[in-house]
Amino acid sequence: MSENLYVRTTMNVAGVGSAIHVAELAEKDAQTCTLLRMIALAPNDSVMGAATPRTSVGSIDIPHSEVPHPDTYSNFPDIVAERVDAETFAGLWNEAMALYGEI
């Protein structure tokens, strides 16, 4: 079984600004991943919310359970993506759980 992928995305939303998320993904194939957990960040990188495909807390909606593979993000002109490591994600998730409790 392959290791999970961790990615930070910044999506520009016309008339609104930027939406920043850090996600933990499980690769399904070269085009898709299963979203496991996701964290919403403010522009200053403070945690704004956290979610799984079943529940959310804070300022984040429940995400889709299946998302495009990070290797395909270059096909989306309004998204900037970068890989992050598992430790970075774990630190942000722990911060979200300290703020909002378990989800």
Side-chain angles (χ1 to χ4, degrees):
M1 180 176 217
S2 64
E3 291 186 27
N4 291 340
L5 306 174
Y6 301 89
V7 63
R8 176 188 171 118
T9 58
T10 303
M11 181 173 62
N12 294 314
V13 181
V16 176
S18 296
I20 304 166
H21 296 100
V22 181
E24 177 183 36
L25 310 171
E27 187 176 59
K28 289 180 73 172
D29 56 44
Q31 298 298 312
T32 56
C33 288
T34 300
L35 188 136
L36 303 173
R37 300 183 289 174
M38 186 166 70
I39 302 160
L41 298 177
N44 67 357
D45 285 346
S46 62
V47 172
M48 300 291 295
T52 71
R54 293 172 302 283
T55 188
S56 68
V57 293
S59 296
I60 189 171
D61 292 329
I62 295 175
H64 295 283
S65 60
E66 189 173 286
V67 297
H69 192 290
D71 291 347
T72 68
Y73 289 175
S74 62
N75 297 330
F76 302 95
D78 294 336
I79 296 177
V80 175
E82 63 182 293
R83 298 283 177 111
V84 298
D85 58 41
E87 292 79 22
T88 298
F89 183 88
L92 290 168
W93 189 259
N94 288 337
E95 184 179 338
M97 295 305 94
L99 288 168
Y100 301 106
E102 292 293 322
I103 65 167

